[in-house]
């Protein structure tokens, strides 16, 4: 069964460094999302992406964040200058139909 | 205001018993969808079941069923014949029809931690 994949599974970085989180959505999906889950809290929407552009972003998704679909398969989330409070699990999700939204296994980002 | 409310921070159930996890939602849109996800300790989000607002029947997927009461705005998850492997966090989420320029993002509740006892 097709699945969303994410790399790396765990990333440790120092405050102020740039990180890129990578996702490979399911191949025939058209809508892509990033969500964030701070440890012990609920999952929060960051950004959605369709037709090579951002369709919606949350208040969390400030100028430090960017997304890109550099080729036909990868979907990346970049954080330019990480802060301690960016430590969280980051989930990529993709969907082709409104009644499905499949999540990747997540990347655990730890900022020290 | 909370769009998704899960009032049970933790629930306990005996193996082989059924358990209901509560979820209420708040929306004024006539078109929306409700999802349940399971998050084991390993962290991944596993899609369990979906209910559309216009679906006439309650959704079922194996041991999972969704008790959808539209007038009460509730979408409770029922797990029958609980297994030890069902121990996990369970999140209820809602997808609303997108606003102009918006997307079909999901809004999550705070989750319920289910523990299945042997």
């Amino acid at each position: 069964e097709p699945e969303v994949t994410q790399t790396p599974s765990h990333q440790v970085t120092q405050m102020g460094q740039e990180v890129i989180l990578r996702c490979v959505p399911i191949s025939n999906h058209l809508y892509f999302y990033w969500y964030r889950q701070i440890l012990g809290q609920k999952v929060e929407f960051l950004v959605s992406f369709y037709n090579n552009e951002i369709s919606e972003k949350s208040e969390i998704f400030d100028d430090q964040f960017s997304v890109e679909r550099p080729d036909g398969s990868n979907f990346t989330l970049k954080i330019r200058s990480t802060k301690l409070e960016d430590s969280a699990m980051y989930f990529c999700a993709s969907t082709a139909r409104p009644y499905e939204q499949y999540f990747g296994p997540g990347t655990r980002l730890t900022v020290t | 205001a909370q769009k998704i409310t899960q009032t049970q921070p933790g629930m306990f159930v005996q193996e082989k018993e059924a358990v209901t996890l509560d979820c209420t939602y708040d929306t004024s849109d006539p078109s929306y969808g409700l999802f349940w996800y399971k998050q084991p300790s390993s962290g991944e989000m596993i899609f369990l079941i979906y209910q559309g607002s216009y679906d006439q029947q309650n959704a079922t997927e194996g041991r999972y069923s969704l008790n959808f009461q539209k007038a009460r705005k509730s979408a409770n998850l029922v797990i029958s014949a609980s297994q030890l492997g069902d121990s996990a966090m369970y999140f209820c989420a809602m997808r609303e029809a997108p606003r102009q320029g918006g997307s079909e993002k999901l809004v999550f509740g705070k989750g319920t931690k289910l523990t299945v006892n042997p």
Side-chain angles (χ1 to χ4, degrees), chain B residues 99-117:
Chain B
R99 302 282 187 267
Q100 188 175 9
S103 66
E104 297 187 342
K105 66 180 185 290
L106 297 185
V107 176
F108 284 81
K110 292 184 177 180
T112 295
K113 183 174 181 179
L114 176 66
T115 302
V116 180
N117 293 317

Side-chain angles (χ1 to χ4, degrees), chain A residues 35 37 48 55-56 98-99 101, chain B residues 37 39 95 101 103 105-106:
Chain A
Y35 293 85
Q37 185 184 30
S48 56
S55 50
E56 187 176 357
Y99 49 86
Q101 195 161 124
Chain B
Y37 287 86
Q39 187 177 44
R95 171 192 56 78
S103 66
K105 66 180 185 290
L106 297 185

Side-chain angles (χ1 to χ4, degrees), chain A residues 4-10 34 89-92 103-108, chain B residues 43-45:
Chain A
V4 178
T5 59
Q6 289 186 243
T7 54
S9 56
H10 191 190
W34 283 101
M89 182 78 101
Y90 288 81
F91 291 103
C92 173
F103 281 69
T107 293
R108 184 170 298 283
Chain B
E44 70 267 34
M45 294 288 284

Side-chain angles (χ1 to χ4, degrees), chain B residues 35-89:
Chain B
F35 298 73
W36 277 93
Y37 287 86
K38 173 183 178 182
Q39 187 177 44
S41 57
S42 50
E44 70 267 34
M45 294 288 284
I46 302 167
F47 167 72
L48 294 178
I49 197 166
Y50 169 84
Q51 179 84 44
S53 58
Y54 294 120
D55 293 342
Q56 294 296 313
Q57 294 194 323
N58 286 346
T60 61
E61 287 286 347
R63 293 186 298 110
Y64 304 108
S65 60
L66 202 151
N67 184 1
F68 182 46
Q69 298 189 43
K70 198 168 180 177
R72 297 178 65 179
K73 293 188 176 179
S74 75
N76 298 339
L77 176 71
V78 181
I79 306 174
S80 63
S82 298
Q83 301 171 356
L84 296 178
D86 294 335
S87 293
M89 283 292 289

